Short mmCIF file of all heavy atoms in Angstrom, two decimals:
data_model
loop_
_atom_site.label_atom_id
_atom_site.label_comp_id
_atom_site.label_asym_id
_atom_site.label_seq_id
_atom_site.Cartn_x
_atom_site.Cartn_y
_atom_site.Cartn_z
N GLU A 1 -31.13 -77.56 -60.52
CA GLU A 1 -31.18 -76.24 -61.17
C GLU A 1 -30.56 -76.30 -62.55
O GLU A 1 -31.05 -75.67 -63.50
CB GLU A 1 -30.44 -75.20 -60.32
CG GLU A 1 -30.52 -73.80 -60.92
CD GLU A 1 -29.70 -72.77 -60.15
OE1 GLU A 1 -29.10 -73.14 -59.12
OE2 GLU A 1 -29.68 -71.61 -60.60
N ARG A 2 -29.51 -77.08 -62.69
CA ARG A 2 -28.83 -77.20 -63.99
C ARG A 2 -29.78 -77.79 -65.03
O ARG A 2 -29.88 -77.28 -66.15
CB ARG A 2 -27.58 -78.06 -63.83
CG ARG A 2 -26.71 -78.13 -65.09
CD ARG A 2 -25.49 -79.01 -64.84
NE ARG A 2 -24.68 -79.10 -66.03
CZ ARG A 2 -23.72 -78.24 -66.37
NH1 ARG A 2 -23.47 -77.21 -65.59
NH2 ARG A 2 -23.02 -78.40 -67.48
N LEU A 3 -30.47 -78.87 -64.67
CA LEU A 3 -31.41 -79.48 -65.61
C LEU A 3 -32.60 -78.54 -65.86
O LEU A 3 -33.11 -78.48 -66.98
CB LEU A 3 -31.90 -80.82 -65.06
CG LEU A 3 -32.85 -81.61 -65.97
CD1 LEU A 3 -32.21 -81.90 -67.33
CD2 LEU A 3 -33.26 -82.92 -65.29
N ALA A 4 -33.01 -77.81 -64.82
CA ALA A 4 -34.12 -76.87 -64.98
C ALA A 4 -33.79 -75.79 -66.00
O ALA A 4 -34.60 -75.46 -66.87
CB ALA A 4 -34.48 -76.25 -63.64
N VAL A 5 -32.58 -75.24 -65.91
CA VAL A 5 -32.19 -74.18 -66.84
C VAL A 5 -31.95 -74.77 -68.23
O VAL A 5 -32.38 -74.20 -69.25
CB VAL A 5 -30.93 -73.45 -66.34
CG1 VAL A 5 -30.42 -72.46 -67.40
CG2 VAL A 5 -31.23 -72.71 -65.04
N GLU A 6 -31.29 -75.91 -68.28
CA GLU A 6 -31.01 -76.54 -69.58
C GLU A 6 -32.30 -76.77 -70.37
O GLU A 6 -32.37 -76.51 -71.57
CB GLU A 6 -30.30 -77.88 -69.38
CG GLU A 6 -30.04 -78.62 -70.70
CD GLU A 6 -29.88 -80.12 -70.53
OE1 GLU A 6 -29.46 -80.56 -69.44
OE2 GLU A 6 -30.20 -80.85 -71.49
N THR A 7 -33.33 -77.27 -69.69
CA THR A 7 -34.58 -77.64 -70.36
C THR A 7 -35.68 -76.60 -70.19
O THR A 7 -36.78 -76.80 -70.70
CB THR A 7 -35.08 -78.99 -69.84
OG1 THR A 7 -35.37 -78.88 -68.44
CG2 THR A 7 -34.04 -80.08 -70.06
N SER A 8 -35.38 -75.51 -69.48
CA SER A 8 -36.36 -74.43 -69.25
C SER A 8 -37.65 -74.95 -68.61
O SER A 8 -38.75 -74.84 -69.17
CB SER A 8 -36.68 -73.71 -70.57
OG SER A 8 -35.64 -72.84 -70.92
N HIS A 9 -37.50 -75.52 -67.42
CA HIS A 9 -38.63 -75.91 -66.59
C HIS A 9 -38.40 -75.34 -65.18
O HIS A 9 -37.25 -75.18 -64.77
CB HIS A 9 -38.74 -77.44 -66.46
CG HIS A 9 -39.17 -78.13 -67.71
ND1 HIS A 9 -38.31 -78.38 -68.75
CD2 HIS A 9 -40.37 -78.67 -68.07
CE1 HIS A 9 -38.97 -79.04 -69.70
NE2 HIS A 9 -40.21 -79.22 -69.32
N PRO A 10 -39.45 -75.07 -64.43
CA PRO A 10 -39.26 -74.64 -63.04
C PRO A 10 -38.53 -75.72 -62.24
O PRO A 10 -38.78 -76.92 -62.42
CB PRO A 10 -40.70 -74.46 -62.53
CG PRO A 10 -41.53 -74.29 -63.75
CD PRO A 10 -40.87 -75.10 -64.82
N SER A 11 -37.67 -75.31 -61.34
CA SER A 11 -36.88 -76.27 -60.56
C SER A 11 -37.77 -77.20 -59.75
O SER A 11 -37.48 -78.39 -59.60
CB SER A 11 -35.91 -75.52 -59.63
OG SER A 11 -34.94 -74.84 -60.37
N TRP A 12 -38.88 -76.66 -59.19
CA TRP A 12 -39.75 -77.50 -58.35
C TRP A 12 -40.37 -78.63 -59.17
O TRP A 12 -40.59 -79.73 -58.65
CB TRP A 12 -40.81 -76.66 -57.67
CG TRP A 12 -41.91 -76.14 -58.57
CD1 TRP A 12 -41.93 -74.93 -59.20
CD2 TRP A 12 -43.12 -76.81 -58.94
NE1 TRP A 12 -43.09 -74.80 -59.94
CE2 TRP A 12 -43.82 -75.94 -59.80
CE3 TRP A 12 -43.66 -78.05 -58.62
CZ2 TRP A 12 -45.06 -76.27 -60.36
CZ3 TRP A 12 -44.90 -78.39 -59.17
CH2 TRP A 12 -45.59 -77.52 -60.02
N LEU A 13 -40.65 -78.35 -60.45
CA LEU A 13 -41.26 -79.37 -61.30
C LEU A 13 -40.24 -80.46 -61.64
O LEU A 13 -40.55 -81.66 -61.61
CB LEU A 13 -41.80 -78.71 -62.57
CG LEU A 13 -42.88 -79.45 -63.36
CD1 LEU A 13 -44.04 -79.87 -62.48
CD2 LEU A 13 -43.36 -78.57 -64.51
N ILE A 14 -39.02 -80.04 -61.94
CA ILE A 14 -37.96 -81.01 -62.20
C ILE A 14 -37.72 -81.88 -60.97
O ILE A 14 -37.59 -83.12 -61.06
CB ILE A 14 -36.65 -80.29 -62.59
CG1 ILE A 14 -36.79 -79.61 -63.96
CG2 ILE A 14 -35.47 -81.26 -62.59
CD1 ILE A 14 -36.93 -80.54 -65.13
N ALA A 15 -37.71 -81.27 -59.79
CA ALA A 15 -37.46 -82.02 -58.55
C ALA A 15 -38.55 -83.05 -58.30
O ALA A 15 -38.27 -84.19 -57.91
CB ALA A 15 -37.37 -81.05 -57.37
N ARG A 16 -39.82 -82.71 -58.52
CA ARG A 16 -40.90 -83.66 -58.26
C ARG A 16 -40.88 -84.79 -59.28
O ARG A 16 -41.19 -85.93 -58.95
CB ARG A 16 -42.25 -82.97 -58.19
CG ARG A 16 -42.77 -82.39 -59.48
CD ARG A 16 -44.19 -81.83 -59.33
NE ARG A 16 -45.17 -82.90 -59.26
CZ ARG A 16 -45.89 -83.20 -58.19
NH1 ARG A 16 -45.75 -82.53 -57.09
NH2 ARG A 16 -46.76 -84.18 -58.22
N TRP A 17 -40.51 -84.50 -60.54
CA TRP A 17 -40.42 -85.56 -61.54
C TRP A 17 -39.28 -86.53 -61.21
O TRP A 17 -39.43 -87.74 -61.37
CB TRP A 17 -40.21 -84.96 -62.92
CG TRP A 17 -41.43 -84.29 -63.47
CD1 TRP A 17 -42.72 -84.41 -63.03
CD2 TRP A 17 -41.47 -83.36 -64.56
NE1 TRP A 17 -43.57 -83.62 -63.78
CE2 TRP A 17 -42.84 -82.97 -64.72
CE3 TRP A 17 -40.52 -82.81 -65.41
CZ2 TRP A 17 -43.23 -82.06 -65.71
CZ3 TRP A 17 -40.91 -81.91 -66.38
CH2 TRP A 17 -42.26 -81.55 -66.54
N ILE A 18 -38.17 -85.99 -60.75
CA ILE A 18 -37.05 -86.86 -60.36
C ILE A 18 -37.49 -87.77 -59.22
O ILE A 18 -37.17 -88.98 -59.20
CB ILE A 18 -35.82 -86.03 -59.97
CG1 ILE A 18 -35.21 -85.38 -61.22
CG2 ILE A 18 -34.78 -86.90 -59.26
CD1 ILE A 18 -34.06 -84.44 -60.92
N ASN A 19 -38.22 -87.22 -58.26
CA ASN A 19 -38.71 -88.01 -57.14
C ASN A 19 -39.67 -89.11 -57.59
O ASN A 19 -39.67 -90.22 -57.04
CB ASN A 19 -39.39 -87.10 -56.12
CG ASN A 19 -39.85 -87.84 -54.89
OD1 ASN A 19 -39.05 -88.43 -54.17
ND2 ASN A 19 -41.15 -87.81 -54.62
N ALA A 20 -40.48 -88.81 -58.59
CA ALA A 20 -41.49 -89.77 -59.06
C ALA A 20 -40.96 -90.75 -60.08
O ALA A 20 -41.32 -91.94 -60.07
CB ALA A 20 -42.68 -89.02 -59.65
N PHE A 21 -40.08 -90.30 -60.98
CA PHE A 21 -39.69 -91.13 -62.12
C PHE A 21 -38.19 -91.41 -62.23
O PHE A 21 -37.78 -92.23 -63.07
CB PHE A 21 -40.15 -90.45 -63.42
CG PHE A 21 -41.59 -90.04 -63.42
CD1 PHE A 21 -41.95 -88.71 -63.54
CD2 PHE A 21 -42.61 -90.98 -63.28
CE1 PHE A 21 -43.29 -88.31 -63.54
CE2 PHE A 21 -43.94 -90.60 -63.27
CZ PHE A 21 -44.29 -89.27 -63.40
N GLY A 22 -37.37 -90.74 -61.43
CA GLY A 22 -35.94 -90.93 -61.51
C GLY A 22 -35.28 -89.90 -62.42
O GLY A 22 -35.94 -89.23 -63.22
N VAL A 23 -33.97 -89.80 -62.31
CA VAL A 23 -33.22 -88.79 -63.05
C VAL A 23 -33.25 -89.03 -64.55
O VAL A 23 -33.49 -88.11 -65.34
CB VAL A 23 -31.75 -88.74 -62.56
CG1 VAL A 23 -30.93 -87.79 -63.43
CG2 VAL A 23 -31.69 -88.29 -61.11
N ASP A 24 -33.02 -90.27 -64.98
CA ASP A 24 -32.93 -90.55 -66.41
C ASP A 24 -34.26 -90.28 -67.13
O ASP A 24 -34.28 -89.66 -68.19
CB ASP A 24 -32.49 -91.99 -66.64
CG ASP A 24 -31.05 -92.25 -66.21
OD1 ASP A 24 -30.32 -91.25 -66.05
OD2 ASP A 24 -30.68 -93.42 -66.04
N GLU A 25 -35.36 -90.75 -66.53
CA GLU A 25 -36.67 -90.54 -67.15
C GLU A 25 -37.01 -89.05 -67.19
O GLU A 25 -37.50 -88.54 -68.21
CB GLU A 25 -37.74 -91.29 -66.35
CG GLU A 25 -39.08 -91.39 -67.06
CD GLU A 25 -39.17 -92.60 -67.98
OE1 GLU A 25 -38.77 -92.47 -69.16
OE2 GLU A 25 -39.62 -93.65 -67.52
N THR A 26 -36.72 -88.36 -66.10
CA THR A 26 -37.01 -86.92 -66.05
C THR A 26 -36.20 -86.16 -67.08
O THR A 26 -36.73 -85.27 -67.77
CB THR A 26 -36.72 -86.38 -64.64
OG1 THR A 26 -37.59 -87.00 -63.70
CG2 THR A 26 -36.90 -84.87 -64.58
N THR A 27 -34.92 -86.49 -67.20
CA THR A 27 -34.07 -85.81 -68.17
C THR A 27 -34.58 -86.01 -69.59
O THR A 27 -34.70 -85.05 -70.37
CB THR A 27 -32.63 -86.31 -68.06
OG1 THR A 27 -32.14 -86.07 -66.73
CG2 THR A 27 -31.72 -85.60 -69.06
N ALA A 28 -34.91 -87.24 -69.92
CA ALA A 28 -35.41 -87.54 -71.27
C ALA A 28 -36.74 -86.84 -71.52
O ALA A 28 -36.98 -86.29 -72.61
CB ALA A 28 -35.55 -89.05 -71.45
N PHE A 29 -37.62 -86.87 -70.54
CA PHE A 29 -38.93 -86.24 -70.66
C PHE A 29 -38.80 -84.73 -70.82
O PHE A 29 -39.41 -84.12 -71.71
CB PHE A 29 -39.78 -86.59 -69.44
CG PHE A 29 -41.11 -85.91 -69.37
CD1 PHE A 29 -41.98 -85.91 -70.46
CD2 PHE A 29 -41.51 -85.25 -68.21
CE1 PHE A 29 -43.22 -85.27 -70.39
CE2 PHE A 29 -42.74 -84.61 -68.13
CZ PHE A 29 -43.59 -84.62 -69.22
N ALA A 30 -38.02 -84.10 -69.96
CA ALA A 30 -37.87 -82.64 -69.99
C ALA A 30 -37.26 -82.19 -71.31
O ALA A 30 -37.67 -81.17 -71.88
CB ALA A 30 -37.02 -82.17 -68.81
N ARG A 31 -36.29 -82.92 -71.81
CA ARG A 31 -35.69 -82.55 -73.09
C ARG A 31 -36.68 -82.73 -74.23
O ARG A 31 -36.75 -81.91 -75.14
CB ARG A 31 -34.44 -83.40 -73.34
CG ARG A 31 -33.25 -83.00 -72.45
CD ARG A 31 -32.08 -83.93 -72.60
NE ARG A 31 -30.92 -83.49 -71.80
CZ ARG A 31 -29.84 -84.22 -71.57
NH1 ARG A 31 -29.75 -85.45 -72.08
NH2 ARG A 31 -28.85 -83.73 -70.86
N ALA A 32 -37.47 -83.79 -74.16
CA ALA A 32 -38.48 -84.02 -75.21
C ALA A 32 -39.53 -82.92 -75.24
O ALA A 32 -40.10 -82.62 -76.29
CB ALA A 32 -39.14 -85.38 -75.01
#
């Protein structure tokens, strides 16, 4: 939820990206 709010993405989308690509890749992607 913290990353979802920080980057303004739905939580479910952040969760599926973390599952597919890992936390670091998701964080960098969402911020970009």
Side-chain angles (χ1 to χ4, degrees):
E1 183 184 358
R2 186 180 179 87
L3 183 58
V5 173
E6 177 204 333
T7 62
S8 284
H9 290 78
S11 293
W12 72 267
L13 201 51
I14 292 292
R16 68 175 285 113
W17 288 344
I18 289 175
N19 183 60
F21 309 118
V23 174
D24 292 343
E25 192 87 272
T26 297
T27 301
F29 174 50
R31 287 174 177 169

